[in-house]
Amino acid sequence: MRIGVISDSHFLSLPAELIKKLTDLNLDLIIHCGDYTDINVIQQLRGICNFCGVAGNMDDLPIKKSLQEKEIIEVEGKRIGIFHGYGFFRDEILENEFKGEKIDIYIHGHTHRLRNEKKGDIYFLNPGPFPKSMLIINIVKDKEIEVEVVKL
């Protein structure tokens, strides 16, 4: 599965050229880690391909009513914990949010800092602010996870 990961877009509406770039990546799923700014962005992303997202600390009530603060999805046997973040962000915040869950990949936003780190067998990823950067995660059952950084 080819997953595009974005965060912190802070758009009222995605420009047509960004929608085309995302479409041209032939993604199976788009994950957004929060701070859309407008619910219209969620609708646009859902129009591209399958979508999963969480609400961020800067998102307004319609978005917070539409999306959870955290999600866990399973892809090809890998469990992905998705969370935006808040305050002075540390890995302990992620680990506490998903306490008691087996997570293979943590994906977060909030810091506006690109991150592609592996600690032991667990990935800690942040796509940075979209459209400056994003991540593409390739997950194939029983194969090593591949993470690609894309600068747009």
Side-chain angles (χ1 to χ4, degrees):
M1 179 171 277
R2 187 170 163 85
I3 305 168
V5 183
I6 62 178
S7 188
D8 298 280
S9 50
H10 299 280
F11 278 109
L12 295 177
S13 181
L14 292 175
E17 64 269 12
L18 284 181
I19 293 172
K20 181 174 180 357
K21 284 182 182 182
L22 287 171
T23 302
D24 289 349
L25 290 171
N26 295 315
L27 302 168
D28 299 303
L29 173 67
I30 292 175
I31 295 175
H32 194 299
C33 301
D35 281 4
Y36 307 81
T37 306
D38 194 280
I39 200 158
N40 185 48
V41 173
I42 296 168
Q43 295 161 345
Q44 289 176 300
L45 292 172
R46 284 184 172 142
I48 296 170
C49 66
N50 292 320
F51 168 81
C52 178
V54 296
N57 63 306
M58 298 294 291
D59 289 320
D60 61 9
L61 193 56
I63 293 172
K64 289 183 178 182
K65 283 185 172 183
S66 173
L67 300 173
Q68 302 294 315
E69 288 186 13
K70 68 179 180 182
E71 289 283 348
I72 299 173
I73 62 171
E74 190 164 322
V75 176
E76 301 290 343
K78 301 295 182 186
R79 290 175 52 87
I80 303 172
I82 307 160
F83 184 67
H84 180 72
Y86 54 82
F88 182 72
F89 191 82
R90 301 172 319 284
D91 288 346
E92 292 80 20
I93 291 173
L94 279 174
E95 292 162 346
N96 286 334
E97 286 293 328
F98 296 99
K99 193 172 190 123
E101 298 285 349
K102 186 203 178 306
I103 302 294
D104 299 294
I105 304 170
Y106 288 109
I107 302 175
H108 68 93
H110 187 61
T111 65
H112 290 227
R113 284 186 296 234
L114 182 62
R115 181 180 189 194
N116 179 3
E117 185 177 356
K118 188 174 181 186
K119 296 180 180 182
D121 292 334
I122 302 172
Y123 290 82
F124 289 79
L125 306 176
N126 183 330
F130 184 75
K132 186 176 179 184
S133 61
M134 67 178 288
L135 299 172
I136 296 178
I137 304 171
N138 289 297
I139 301 176
V140 178
K141 191 166 184 72
D142 299 325
K143 295 204 176 186
E144 185 67 28
I145 295 168
E146 296 175 4
V147 180
E148 176 187 348
V149 174
V150 176
K151 305 251 179 162
L152 298 173

